[in-house]
Amino acid sequence: MLKRSLTFILALCMVLTSLGVSFALDADGNSRKGKYLFRKSCRSCHAEGQKAKDLSPVDMTQAQWKKAFADYKKLPCYGNWKNVKEKDIKDIYSYMYNHAKDSPSPAKCK
Amino acid sequence: MPKQKLAMVIDSTNCLDCKGCMAACKVANNVPDGEWRNWIKGSDPQRRAGKPVVFQPGNCMQCDKPTCVTACPTGATYKNEADGTVVINRTLCIGCGQCLAACPYGARFKNKDLGVADKCDFCAERRALGLEPACVSTCPTKSRKFGDLNDPSSEVAKLMKSGKPVQIANEKTKTDPNIYYLGETGPADWTVAAKMPDAFDFWRGLADPVVKVVVGLSGLGVLAMLGKQLIMPKDAPPEEHKDRKEAGHE
Amino acid sequence: MPSPSEFRVSRRGFLKLSGAATAAAALGGSGHLTPVKTAQAGTKLESGFESKFTVCDMCFNKCSAIARVVDGKVQKLDPNPKFLKSRGMLCAKGNAGVRQLYDPNRLKYPLLRVGARGEGKWKRISWSEALDLAAEKMKAIGQKYTRCGFMFMAGADMQSTYVHRFAKAYGSYNTLSHESQCLIAGTRAFLDTFGEVPIPDMLFAKYCLMMGANRFESLVTPDSIDMMTAMKQDMKLVVMDPRYTKTAAKAHEYYPIKPHSDMAVMLAIAHVLIKEGLYDQEFVAQKTYGIEQLSKHVEQYTPEWAAGESDVPAEAIVKIARELGAAKPAAMVYPGRRSSNYKDSTQVRRSFAIVNALLGNWDRPGGLTAARMVGLAGGVPLEEPFYENNPPDRIDAGKATLMFPEEGSFKLARDAVLEGKPYPVKGFFCYHSNPMQTVANRAKTVEMFNGMDFVMVMDVAMSDTAYMADLVLPSQSYLERLDPCSAQQGSSACACVVMRDPVVKPMFEAKPALWVMQELAGRLELGKHFDFTVEDFRKAQLKGLPGALEALKKDGVYYNPSKLYGVYEGKIYKTKTHKIELYNERYAEMGVDPMPVYKKHEEPGANRFRLVVGRNAIITQSSSTSNSLLMQFQADNALWLNPKPAKELGIEDGDWVKVQSPAGQQWIKAKVTDMTRPDTVYMDTGFGVLSKQLAIHGKGACIAEVLVDDFDRISGNMAMHETFVTVSKEAA
């Protein structure tokens, strides 16, 4: 009985994942690498005078970043993300989330 | 040009004892290490319940009745009538040091580099170049206000009217200083009576009675002569003539 | 008479003027024959002097100043009357800047260590030798230990940004500054309450409760000056400090609070404010989160209880709370600055922040204001490379709950280096900072240096940190430097930009940090990250501020007349709940006390004392002590000891005593005074130096040797007041 339940749950998970319903990304990737990757992959468009809105982590709250990346495939520029690996996306997200407007962001004294 | 009466009006209660004025003065006036043209009194406040401590900035008071000028044997130091400051002419100063002890405020010192007396001159060189005295401009709380008391529109003249300015004065030696303090002054009993030069005192002590005696004696002598003239008859014959007559003049 | 704001007046003009003045003096004097002569000894200000703007570097305040220069020599540093942040002043240290520039002992050329580390034996080498060596070491250490194997530290200097830039380009995450030795716990606490670090609007405050800060001695512009002005305008100042500082001496009320009980007093004040309905209820309801939780939490923290913990009478606590409540919103608990005190300093400062929030003084006159818009951009952007073989993070990562990633913690980093875990760090570059004198537990700093392959230090003088290096590089002093722009926050005084142009030619072979970083970068194939001049950098910084450069050249400062109060109208607070957090949600999630919880702290007990750290107006930085002008005010330090324990220990004023902690010991003169509590001792920082090339060598004792290094658990801030010492008059 138990074995059947477990098998069912496992199968369900596999189905769901294959359908592309991703569970929310965790922000425990490598933020430092994420910073570098964000610049490499995203800044070409997401910068002043470029195609898309000038973007940096402090432009949104943690909740907003979380929402945006929860289903990142639905983001308008996702089409340009072809070459960005899954792990890299996690790192970029970690960078944005951990340094968001309302994050424990570093503040320097004057 | 009308005469100036340069002075300072200081609000001691503003003073933080930060030593800014002392440092600024030292640099501006090339004061040798270890010597000071200005000061802050009351620097080590022992705990004092109730009232806030008051630190007292000060410097040469540019007195109107300067005992230092009286003590100077060469006339090197004098009151500059044009602006009211007490000046030291370094060429005339022989470095005897008599003026140092003559100051109730200890405002003077012997400049070890120059060998002459030195003290605050309200930054004469800076003033000549259009700058404020160094201590005045540097002060964080603008404790020292500087200007011409003879100019009714000056800040210092106005403060003298609106505030209740006091002078720090010595009981025995009253020199009429030109540094005024508003309100609470902080320590007020640190001045010392002027010690006028020993030579001065000695000669005055000696010469005075000697002169008095000589004058007195000559006076007596004159009186005696006069008295003699008046009392004694005129053309009194000499004694020998009398003798000769008695001796059988015929 | 020309005004001070006119510069570069012609020689002729001034000659005329000074001639006229001298003639007038001569004519005016009575009874003398010759005019007054100007001094012969040393040069002085004379006609034809030049006036040049500079920015003081004698402490962190960066006051704009005017250098008076004659024949290429600085004669005097004067205040800039147009600089509102300093209220047009220049303190003793600022005036003493000339003695740093012309210090005969200053570093003149690169030096290579010969002999043992700390022996003080050096060989002069050329810059190209020095830079080649440094680059070679950086390469070698980078290869052997990854780029994170080289640590970089730079203090509060306008060129420090270039050192940190180099570290990023080189690929090291291990960057440090003086900040983890100073204020990061306070920064953390206010960030986690208000979402940003406030600037107190002292000038318009009607009531200020100052807990341990010493603004009349530790000068901060404009706070220190505005505090006096405000007091003249009926601001009440109440000071709580274990020492009777000059701030305490000038306050309206002073309480010799027991060290480490500040939180108790704050919680009790909150208790009274809430119980008596004295807090700003509308403000709290609209803008804060957690009043219900806080109200419940502080029920237990009564004034009577707090009196027992702090030695501040209960009636006083109640009275102060009521006075704060009556004076609000122009009433504040002064946020303070240095928070390098206790294991729970972030929570202590949280209690300050919470009381401020209850007073509703945020974003209002006389309260705590938000940062004003200055508009200075970041300069030339850096395309930071990524090194795949680097470890995942800095060496002290995760050792404190909410560390600032760029700051880390010097204490925790040092411990990690000594441990060699999680990975070795074998190289160290330090610029414009002096950890040997300022960081607690000097023996550990020495041990850290001894364990390194290569230590290089760049400074103006042979500081104790430079003294421990393998390679010493001579830095230009600030008066010789061309520096980028720096933004300053002054609350109601101003929001402004300053920048530094050299006022004299550089002396000896001294160089600026940017040049050194560029030369090293070139040797490490990182040149593209440093392909700019200071002028280029400034241009990038000022791109959003038309007219700023002209203002800077003309007045020595550029002001942005940006919004001062009400900055947060209609905006969210940068906290988790987007409100001012009395109760911190993120802390709760992380298992950290969401509101400060008072814990009974260990006391020194019989025969021991707590050693505390402080400053005075003359020797605020460790570098100030060896300044020949400032030395005339103070050339020694002494241990403040209360007369009661002094008598018990048979110690008289002026006796030599041994002050000893688990970290180390020093012999020092005793200053027996009732200006400190019986359980607390104090000594000034910056003495007992090792470096024989400092004028202050041989004088006083080194506090860093005795201070125990603990740390604030949340931010990683050094905690120096957890030091318990014995004081004894041992027979020689």
Side-chain angles (χ1 to χ4, degrees):
Chain A
M1 189 65 173
L2 186 63
K3 200 174 173 189
R4 253 176 143 211
S5 311
L6 279 171
T7 322
F8 174 73
I9 290 164
L10 199 60
L12 186 62
C13 287
M14 287 171 72
V15 167
L16 285 173
T17 351
S18 63
L19 282 176
V21 177
S22 46
F23 299 112
L25 270 178
D26 284 330
D28 60 354
N30 188 337
S31 298
R32 291 179 187 272
K33 187 163 187 192
K35 182 178 182 184
Y36 166 75
L37 291 167
F38 170 74
R39 249 201 356 260
K40 207 171 72 148
S41 318
C42 319
R43 280 297 259 173
S44 49
C45 294
H46 281 292
E48 203 181 306
Q50 300 307 320
K51 271 194 266 184
K53 185 170 64 153
D54 183 27
L55 210 57
S56 86
V58 295
D59 288 324
M60 301 217 285
T61 65
Q62 287 190 320
Q64 286 170 324
W65 282 120
K66 192 165 180 180
K67 191 156 173 236
F69 274 83
D71 209 356
Y72 57 83
K73 292 192 178 149
K74 294 227 175 87
L75 289 170
C77 61
Y78 182 64
N80 303 43
W81 293 24
K82 288 196 288 271
N83 297 319
V84 185
K85 287 173 265 183
E86 176 98 22
K87 184 185 180 300
D88 290 351
I89 294 173
K90 181 172 173 142
D91 288 343
I92 292 171
Y93 169 61
S94 301
Y95 168 60
M96 306 312 263
Y97 182 85
N98 287 323
H99 297 279
K101 186 190 282 193
D102 58 347
S103 68
S105 43
K108 294 212 145 262
C109 72
K110 318 296 172 292
Chain B
M1 193 155 78
K3 282 190 194 168
Q4 290 183 312
K5 190 173 167 31
L6 294 180
M8 277 195 192
V9 178
I10 296 179
D11 186 351
S12 284
T13 58
N14 272 355
C15 178
L16 308 179
D17 194 21
C18 74
K19 314 295 195 204
C21 54
M22 293 176 73
C25 171
K26 174 142 285 193
V27 178
N29 295 292
N30 268 309
V31 180
D33 283 2
E35 292 163 358
W36 305 97
R37 280 190 174 194
N38 60 0
W39 60 76
I40 299 172
K41 300 287 181 195
S43 280
D44 205 8
Q46 289 304 307
R47 193 174 294 176
R48 185 180 123 152
K51 291 178 82 182
V53 162
V54 178
F55 304 109
Q56 182 191 95
N59 39 271
C60 166
M61 307 266 177
Q62 319 292 351
C63 303
D64 280 346
K65 298 191 185 92
T67 39
C68 54
V69 170
T70 317
C72 176
T74 64
T77 200
Y78 59 93
K79 182 93 172 160
N80 181 342
E81 297 303 328
D83 63 12
T85 58
V86 176
V87 175
I88 300 172
N89 181 330
R90 287 175 171 169
T91 329
L92 290 180
C93 177
I94 57 172
C96 72
Q98 283 174 180
C99 57
L100 272 61
C103 174
Y105 305 101
R108 290 169 169 259
F109 60 94
K110 190 160 169 190
N111 185 314
K112 61 182 178 236
D113 292 343
L114 300 173
V116 295
D118 199 352
K119 68 173 190 69
C120 166
D121 61 358
F122 281 165
C123 284
E125 274 103 358
R126 281 176 66 95
R127 281 186 285 123
L129 296 168
L131 300 171
E132 275 186 312
C135 61
V136 173
S137 59
T138 227
C139 177
T141 52
K142 298 294 180 271
S143 194
R144 298 163 175 269
K145 304 288 185 200
F146 169 80
D148 177 14
L149 287 178
N150 283 346
D151 174 4
S153 69
S154 72
E155 196 176 3
V156 285
K158 289 187 185 152
L159 284 169
M160 291 292 280
K161 275 215 157 78
S162 64
K164 289 199 180 81
V166 301
Q167 296 165 314
I168 305 284
N170 181 266
E171 260 184 3
K172 294 208 174 98
T173 311
K174 304 227 186 284
T175 58
D176 202 5
N178 277 298
I179 308 267
Y180 290 88
Y181 291 86
L182 294 173
E184 253 215 81
T185 62
D189 53 359
W190 53 271
T191 60
V192 291
K195 188 176 181 297
M196 298 313 278
D198 282 348
F200 199 91
D201 281 337
F202 172 75
W203 286 112
R204 191 173 21 178
L206 184 65
D208 230 21
V210 165
V211 165
K212 281 198 179 100
V213 164
V214 167
V215 168
L217 282 175
S218 35
L220 277 172
V222 166
L223 281 171
M225 294 284 273
L226 189 65
K228 194 174 169 213
Q229 299 248 330
L230 289 167
I231 296 164
M232 304 280 271
K234 278 190 175 73
D235 298 322
E239 291 302 311
E240 62 268 35
H241 292 151
K242 242 175 133 172
D243 281 346
R244 259 205 313 221
K245 215 174 172 178
E246 273 183 341
H249 180 63
E250 187 83 350
Chain C
M1 201 76 87
S3 70
S5 59
E6 282 170 37
F7 298 99
R8 293 202 171 257
V9 184
S10 71
R11 243 174 219 283
R12 204 186 228 178
F14 270 100
L15 270 173
K16 265 195 197 161
L17 199 65
S18 57
T22 321
L27 287 170
S30 56
H32 70 289
L33 304 165
T34 50
V36 175
K37 236 179 167 176
T38 52
Q40 311 96 315
T43 48
K44 282 175 82 168
L45 261 191
E46 43 190 55
S47 59
F49 71 88
E50 292 178 282
S51 294
K52 300 184 180 187
F53 289 118
T54 184
V55 175
C56 186
D57 190 43
M58 297 299 284
C59 81
F60 85 101
N61 279 301
K62 299 197 181 62
C63 296
S64 174
I66 299 169
R68 312 288 184 189
V69 182
V70 174
D71 292 333
K73 274 201 91 182
V74 180
Q75 296 305 317
K76 175 77 170 69
L77 293 162
D78 274 344
N80 178 354
K82 294 195 177 157
F83 191 60
L84 295 171
K85 186 168 189 272
S86 71
R87 304 295 183 195
M89 75 94 177
L90 196 67
C91 74
K93 300 186 297 293
N95 276 279
V98 285
R99 298 280 184 117
Q100 186 198 80
L101 175 63
Y102 298 122
D103 178 2
N105 294 320
R106 68 179 276 197
L107 296 169
K108 301 175 176 68
Y109 27 70
L111 295 168
L112 184 66
R113 174 170 67 82
V114 297
R117 191 188 293 291
E119 215 187 327
K121 294 208 168 93
W122 309 97
K123 178 175 90 166
R124 175 182 178 171
I125 58 172
S126 68
W127 266 109
S128 61
E129 274 182 81
L131 293 163
D132 287 345
L133 173 66
E136 182 202 308
K137 292 289 183 185
M138 284 181 171
K139 250 187 230 159
I141 288 171
Q143 258 154 25
K144 191 166 177 198
Y145 302 107
T146 80
R147 296 285 169 117
C148 286
F150 211 104
M151 194 146 78
F152 294 85
M153 180 168 187
D157 184 86
M158 282 150 105
Q159 295 229 357
S160 290
T161 184
Y162 299 134
V163 177
H164 285 126
R165 183 190 186 92
F166 180 87
K168 290 189 178 135
Y170 171 80
S172 174
Y173 302 148
N174 293 313
T175 53
L176 292 167
S177 73
H178 58 294
E179 293 190 16
S180 66
Q181 262 293 111
C182 183
L183 51 47
I184 56 173
T187 301
R188 185 79 267 163
F190 279 85
L191 265 182
D192 294 340
T193 310
F194 293 99
E196 74 168 80
V197 183
I199 299 110
D201 188 28
M202 191 64 100
L203 187 62
F204 298 110
K206 293 284 167 248
Y207 199 99
C208 177
L209 175 57
M210 189 162 278
M211 306 294 292
N214 185 9
R215 275 300 155 265
F216 284 149
E217 292 192 80
S218 297
L219 302 179
V220 172
T221 59
D223 300 20
S224 298
I225 306 153
D226 287 357
M227 190 156 87
M228 178 53 78
T229 312
M231 283 169 79
K232 289 294 171 78
Q233 291 163 0
D234 305 320
M235 179 190 86
K236 181 165 180 178
L237 176 68
V238 176
V239 168
M240 295 193 185
D241 195 316
R243 287 195 304 133
Y244 186 66
T245 60
K246 285 184 184 157
T247 308
K250 296 203 72 67
H252 296 107
E253 280 173 29
Y254 162 67
Y255 299 94
I257 188 173
K258 184 185 289 186
H260 210 173
S261 66
D262 302 47
M263 189 197 285
V265 174
M266 286 297 122
L267 292 170
I269 288 176
H271 169 105
V272 175
L273 289 173
I274 290 171
K275 183 169 162 200
E276 299 189 9
L278 298 172
Y279 66 98
D280 189 331
Q281 300 187 41
E282 193 187 331
F283 177 91
V284 166
Q286 280 176 15
K287 302 195 173 155
T288 75
Y289 170 83
I291 184 62
E292 275 171 36
Q293 296 95 313
L294 181 70
S295 303
K296 204 151 181 295
H297 178 64
V298 298
E299 260 171 33
Q300 57 182 312
Y301 298 125
T302 63
E304 291 69 28
W305 162 82
E309 290 299 317
S310 64
D311 293 346
V312 179
E315 316 80 63
I317 294 173
V318 173
K319 180 174 73 100
I320 289 165
R322 288 176 181 163
E323 287 173 349
L324 280 165
K328 72 174 192 292
M332 66 166 91
V333 176
Y334 187 74
R337 202 170 163 84
R338 187 182 71 78
S339 53
S340 50
N341 303 329
Y342 302 110
K343 296 191 263 260
D344 62 347
S345 274
T346 298
Q347 294 288 17
V348 171
R349 300 280 161 157
R350 269 275 290 153
S351 71
F352 292 18
I354 285 166
V355 172
N356 279 303
L358 290 175
L359 296 171
N361 65 22
W362 175 260
D363 216 6
R364 285 162 146 170
L368 303 185
T369 55
R372 296 174 65 175
M373 166 72 88
V374 178
L376 202 65
V380 173
L382 171 69
E383 297 285 316
E384 200 178 325
F386 184 77
Y387 296 83
E388 287 290 344
N389 70 333
N390 251 346
D393 211 333
R394 47 184 303 140
I395 195 178
D396 47 7
K399 299 251 167 79
T401 328
L402 277 168
M403 208 178 259
F404 294 107
E406 301 286 294
E407 270 315 321
S409 162
F410 188 101
K411 136 88 183 168
L412 294 167
R414 182 179 63 185
D415 283 346
V417 173
L418 288 171
E419 235 191 314
K421 294 198 176 101
Y423 51 83
V425 168
K426 293 291 182 182
F428 189 76
F429 175 65
C430 183
Y431 170 67
H432 199 284
S433 200
N434 193 8
M436 277 291 289
Q437 269 288 321
T438 56
V439 173
N441 201 327
R442 186 172 62 174
K444 277 194 183 174
T445 311
V446 172
E447 202 192 327
M448 181 179 81
F449 285 147
N450 282 338
M452 287 192 164
D453 287 354
F454 188 66
V455 177
M456 56 188 290
V457 176
M458 184 169 181
D459 207 316
V460 181
M462 182 68 85
S463 68
D464 273 6
T465 306
Y467 202 67
M468 295 298 290
D470 298 304
L471 178 67
V472 175
L473 303 175
S475 170
Q476 289 173 352
S477 82
Y478 64 104
L479 294 163
E480 300 155 292
R481 272 201 265 138
L482 183 72
D483 282 350
C485 299
S486 172
Q488 305 290 318
Q489 292 286 335
S491 183
S492 54
C494 62
C496 66
V497 176
V498 291
M499 77 182 185
R500 211 182 262 139
D501 280 340
V503 302
V504 288
K505 287 205 181 67
M507 294 175 73
F508 315 112
E509 291 181 25
K511 292 284 184 198
L514 174 60
W515 179 84
V516 171
M517 290 0 272
Q518 281 172 328
E519 289 288 316
L520 287 172
R523 288 164 170 78
L524 291 162
E525 283 144 31
L526 301 169
K528 68 174 184 184
H529 299 296
F530 279 89
D531 192 16
F532 57 84
T533 60
V534 172
E535 285 96 340
D536 296 331
F537 199 85
R538 283 176 179 177
K539 209 159 153 217
Q541 287 178 303
L542 295 171
K543 68 173 188 257
L545 299 172
L549 191 62
E550 292 71 32
L552 284 161
K553 297 273 181 193
K554 181 170 153 289
D555 298 328
V557 58
Y558 163 75
Y559 292 112
N560 188 329
S562 51
K563 202 165 158 73
L564 167 58
Y565 306 121
V567 170
Y568 267 74
E569 285 312 311
K571 295 208 182 110
I572 59 152
Y573 287 84
K574 291 176 265 191
T575 59
K576 200 161 170 76
T577 57
H578 300 164
K579 294 209 162 166
I580 296 170
E581 290 193 354
L582 305 171
Y583 178 99
N584 188 300
E585 273 295 344
R586 184 176 287 120
Y587 283 12
E589 279 172 24
M590 296 175 82
V592 174
D593 289 334
M595 294 169 295
V597 173
Y598 186 81
K599 296 173 178 68
K600 202 137 175 75
H601 299 293
E602 192 192 350
E603 290 189 40
N607 303 319
R608 282 198 315 173
F609 307 88
R610 186 186 303 268
L611 175 59
V612 298
V613 177
R615 304 276 175 249
N616 67 47
I618 300 117
I619 50 158
T620 313
Q621 313 300 137
S622 66
S623 55
S624 322
T625 52
S626 55
N627 180 295
S628 62
L629 171 50
L630 299 174
M631 274 172 74
Q632 292 173 62
F633 296 110
Q634 181 178 354
D636 209 346
N637 64 351
L639 187 77
W640 293 28
L641 178 65
N642 183 279
K644 194 162 165 294
K647 188 158 178 230
E648 283 163 23
L649 293 165
I651 294 170
E652 280 173 16
D653 191 44
D655 280 351
W656 280 98
V657 296
K658 184 170 80 166
V659 56
Q660 181 168 27
S661 78
Q665 68 183 55
Q666 289 279 281
W667 281 92
I668 186 173
K669 252 196 330 239
K671 174 184 159 113
V672 177
T673 172
D674 68 348
M675 296 201 287
T676 184
R677 284 174 55 101
D679 57 7
T680 307
V681 293
Y682 168 81
M683 57 196 276
D684 287 315
T685 301
F687 295 90
V689 302
L690 301 172
S691 168
K692 296 194 186 82
Q693 216 170 304
L694 292 174
I696 201 68
H697 182 257
K699 302 269 171 58
C702 175
I703 195 175
E705 181 73 17
V706 186
L707 288 169
V708 169
D709 56 320
D710 208 322
F711 71 104
D712 169 61
R713 298 301 189 261
I714 296 177
S715 67
N717 203 170
M718 181 68 84
M720 300 197 278
H721 289 190
E722 303 275 9
T723 304
F724 293 145
V725 299
T726 55
V727 178
S728 56
K729 195 180 143 181
E730 273 180 22

